[in-house]
Amino acid sequence: MSSNWTPVALSQDVLPGMAIPAHLQDQDLVVWRSATGRIAAWHDRCPHRGMRLSHGFVRGEFLSCIYHGWRYGEDGQCRKIPAHPELAPPAAIKVPRFAVCESAGVVWVAPEGETSEPVDLPGFRGFRSVAVNAAADQVARDVAGQGHLGGCDVVMLVQPLPGGDCGLHVLVADGCADAQLDALSHAIEALRRRLEQGVAA
Ligand code: FES
């Protein structure tokens, strides 16, 4: 994966009809999935009065703001203002978007217009994301990349978060037995605690 792409969530955590908050560096995002499965990443701010769109709701292929119900289409364009149903919303009412793609069960985001191809991680799937109260650079040095944890082959992706914390997205090899997954969950929790104590993995 190009360094221009940042892992912001696992695909399994953004089901059809869901909108969740996420981050790209210090930028607040809403990541949402339409009823048909299309994924999107936008600025988490309604152009009307600034309400977080991650508090909004998905209806079909649209995301609606929770405050006054302005409805936005997949291109970020406002399509409906409920208080003025006869009005065609002006083209200027549009939510800024980010480039987004999914690979290996991970939602990746980059600045809009990113043209690089995502790196493939064949044989791995998203398993679990945890927030770590430790600096992303340090955690990346300690654990990022392919390794072995809880008896499973894993890939660990580190995401910088605002405030100096980071997200750790753990991918597991497709061949890992179901019986190992509980052990992997416990190992991830233990790893998180060690990282927060500054103990290298
Ligand atoms: S703040 Fe979003 S519709 Fe008013």
Side-chain angles (χ1 to χ4, degrees):
M1 182 70 62
S2 160
S3 60
N4 291 333
W5 292 93
T6 297
V8 301
L10 295 182
S11 297
Q12 66 188 16
D13 295 332
V14 197
L15 298 174
M18 283 180 62
I20 67 168
H23 297 91
L24 180 63
Q25 302 293 343
D26 290 333
Q27 176 72 58
D28 293 330
L29 311 181
V30 53
V31 174
W32 65 282
R33 192 185 298 279
S34 74
T36 60
R38 181 179 43 77
I39 196 82
W42 296 354
H43 280 244
D44 193 9
R45 182 176 169 84
C46 179
H48 183 214
R49 293 196 181 167
M51 173 61 75
R52 287 187 180 278
L53 289 168
S54 55
H55 293 168
F57 51 95
V58 178
R59 290 288 182 274
E61 303 305 295
F62 299 90
L63 177 63
S64 292
C65 179
I66 194 73
Y67 199 176
H68 306 96
W70 288 24
R71 181 188 296 176
Y72 300 93
E74 65 177 289
D75 55 358
Q77 182 70 49
C78 184
R79 299 294 181 192
K80 184 174 181 182
I81 298 176
H84 302 282
E86 75 293 343
L87 179 73
I93 303 178
K94 188 172 183 178
V95 185
R97 297 178 300 163
F98 294 84
V100 62
C101 69
E102 292 180 277
S103 173
V106 177
V107 180
W108 302 83
V109 171
E112 189 175 22
E114 175 62 37
T115 56
S116 66
E117 289 294 322
V119 167
D120 206 6
L121 292 167
F124 287 89
R125 58 187 167 86
F127 178 67
R128 190 170 166 202
S129 296
V130 291
V132 183
N133 181 214
D137 288 353
Q138 184 63 51
V139 172
R141 276 195 293 274
D142 287 345
V143 302
Q146 194 161 348
H148 201 68
L149 186 67
C152 297
D153 291 326
V154 297
V155 170
M156 289 189 268
L157 305 169
V158 179
Q159 173 195 4
L161 292 176
D165 294 348
C166 68
L168 184 64
H169 306 284
V170 181
L171 283 56
V172 64
D174 287 334
C176 187
D178 287 351
Q180 286 294 132
L181 296 180
D182 276 352
L184 178 56
S185 280
H186 291 302
I188 292 169
E189 271 305 312
L191 174 61
R192 184 183 61 77
R193 286 194 295 272
R194 291 201 303 276
L195 291 168
E196 291 184 345
Q197 292 163 3
V199 180

